[in-house]
Amino acid sequence: MTPAPDPNRPDPRLQDEARCFEILDQPELWPEDPARQAELADLLELHLALRSHGPALAADLAPAPRTRWTGSWTLAAAAVLLVALIPAVATLQRTRSLQALARDTARLEQLAQKRTQDRAWIAFFQQSTTLLQDFEQNPTLCKKGEEDRRQEREMAVALLEASHQLAAQGAPLKEAEAIRATLHTWLSEVAFEDNCLSVERAKELRQWAAAHNLETQAERMERRLRGEDA
């Protein structure tokens, strides 16, 4: 025959809950059991949210705070506590929703930033290809023995500035950075030349670009960044 419960003996479940509240601010006393730690973490979050409503709850729960829960809790007292916890739970849920929204917003911003950076790299390789092709064409002459490369030089100056910016922000691919660095060297040579180049100097620049296969590499990297080439 099961003995009748002793009314003077504290409920062990309430004692256990009281112990949880006592060690909330003492992480070194938390049990090693992961499941128990998770329960304590949830309880701590609720406790902190409840504390944020301290003044309002103090008015509703007139009795002075107690350091230990005992078996003297009545059903009515438990109901009062449940009603008092509702705003805190709502606040906790809203806080978690806002945190999730902040994470999603940050992720979308990162994706948008990456797309912007990828477009800048694509434009750099595309325009570099165009410049290399233009440099292969026969331009008008400043005078006999000198090629008018004013337009090509202006474009090289602009691309050189873009190259500096791309180097600072980082490349989407390691190979893209290597090709940018090679193009940067060639662009520097063109940008620091005079508008009118001697035929011999223009030939040297074309040969240097061909020896490093710059046009083909720039075209291939542009396609790869567009997702058109594996």
Side-chain angles (χ1 to χ4, degrees):
M1 181 175 179
T2 304
D6 183 357
N8 296 320
R9 184 180 180 182
D11 189 331
R13 292 174 300 176
L14 294 176
Q15 284 187 317
D16 188 48
E17 291 176 345
R19 177 60 177 162
C20 289
F21 274 95
E22 286 180 357
I23 66 175
L24 282 180
D25 295 324
Q26 304 178 66
E28 68 276 5
L29 299 181
W30 286 28
E32 296 183 359
D33 179 21
R36 194 62 175 151
Q37 288 185 355
E39 293 176 2
L40 285 168
D42 288 340
L43 188 60
L44 177 58
E45 286 186 335
L46 185 58
H47 178 60
L48 293 176
L50 183 58
R51 287 177 60 184
S52 69
H53 294 271
L57 293 178
D60 293 335
L61 301 177
R66 303 170 66 179
T67 58
R68 180 176 297 274
W69 289 13
T70 68
S72 63
W73 281 81
T74 65
L75 181 60
V80 171
L81 177 61
L82 178 60
V83 172
L85 288 177
I86 289 176
V89 173
T91 299
L92 181 60
Q93 291 176 339
R94 177 165 177 76
T95 298
R96 288 176 173 173
S97 297
L98 291 175
Q99 289 173 342
L101 178 61
R103 288 193 297 269
D104 290 342
T105 301
R107 179 175 56 83
L108 291 175
E109 288 177 350
Q110 290 176 350
L111 290 175
Q113 183 179 11
K114 184 180 184 305
R115 286 195 295 269
T116 299
Q117 292 176 343
D118 287 349
R119 285 195 293 268
W121 280 87
I122 290 170
F124 173 75
F125 288 122
Q126 181 185 48
Q127 293 169 14
S128 294
T129 299
T130 299
L131 175 58
L132 289 161
Q133 292 172 346
D134 289 347
F135 216 83
E136 291 290 334
Q137 306 301 317
N138 292 323
T140 57
L141 299 178
C142 296
K143 61 182 181 180
K144 186 176 181 180
E146 290 185 353
E147 298 181 356
D148 185 354
R149 294 293 183 177
R150 181 180 295 105
Q151 292 183 354
E152 288 85 350
R153 178 180 175 277
E154 291 175 354
M155 189 172 185
V157 170
L159 285 171
L160 194 61
E161 177 61 27
S163 179
H164 282 295
Q165 295 175 1
L166 294 176
Q169 76 178 28
L173 299 172
K174 185 176 181 179
E175 186 180 3
E177 171 56 26
I179 297 175
R180 182 209 64 79
T182 306
L183 279 167
H184 189 98
T185 301
W186 186 81
L187 290 169
S188 299
E189 294 293 326
V190 177
F192 295 130
E193 289 288 346
D194 294 331
N195 291 331
C196 295
L197 293 181
S198 67
V199 174
E200 292 77 12
R201 178 54 176 161
K203 182 178 179 180
E204 288 177 1
L205 291 172
R206 287 193 295 271
Q207 289 177 339
W208 195 96
H212 290 80
N213 204 20
L214 292 184
E215 182 178 340
T216 300
Q217 290 195 70
E219 286 181 328
R220 180 173 57 81
M221 186 52 59
E222 177 194 346
R223 291 196 302 270
R224 185 172 178 183
L225 293 176
R226 290 183 185 277
E228 299 173 1
D229 187 15

